[in-house]
Amino acid sequence: DEQVVERIRGSGTYVAQQKYQSMLVTIRNIAEDIAARGQRHRSELHLLERTRADGALARAFQADVRSPLYHSVVLHYENDAPIQVEDRYV
């Protein structure tokens, strides 16, 4: 019932793969949040590159090492004050 073991007919009983439960996370649009406060948003693109996944990124993306990824770094401003650095891989 708890799915901690897995039985395979003709082979045996094994410890089951752990099933992860993830929470749904809403990614908010910073430009919309700033505008909702009546402020002005702008952003600066500091880096945009095509790269390859190293070991840690490959694991995070469940991809092969050296798989192609895009990497960007964007600085967000509210009324010309820097408030957030976005460092993203896709």
Side-chain angles (χ1 to χ4, degrees), residues 1 6 8 19 21 32 34 40-41 47 54 65 82-83 90:
D1 289 343
E6 179 180 7
I8 300 173
K19 293 188 171 77
Q21 293 182 349
E32 290 175 1
I34 291 170
R40 189 179 75 257
H41 170 265
L47 176 71
D54 61 14
V65 171
I83 61 167
V90 293

Side-chain angles (χ1 to χ4, degrees), residues 4 22 39 45 56 73 86:
V4 293
S22 64
Q39 306 301 317
L45 178 64
V73 177
E86 173 187 316

Side-chain angles (χ1 to χ4, degrees), residues 25-80:
V25 176
T26 301
I27 299 175
R28 299 180 56 122
N29 182 322
I30 190 169
E32 290 175 1
D33 286 349
I34 291 170
R37 293 193 295 268
Q39 306 301 317
R40 189 179 75 257
H41 170 265
R42 73 178 175 90
S43 62
E44 292 177 357
L45 178 64
H46 285 260
L47 176 71
L48 181 59
E49 67 180 352
R50 186 170 187 224
T51 187
R52 299 221 174 250
D54 61 14
L57 285 169
R59 284 190 297 281
F61 280 90
Q62 298 178 348
D64 295 329
V65 171
R66 308 253 328 125
S67 292
L69 294 174
Y70 290 94
H71 179 211
S72 64
V73 177
V74 178
L75 181 57
H76 294 274
Y77 293 83
E78 182 172 346
N79 293 339
D80 295 323

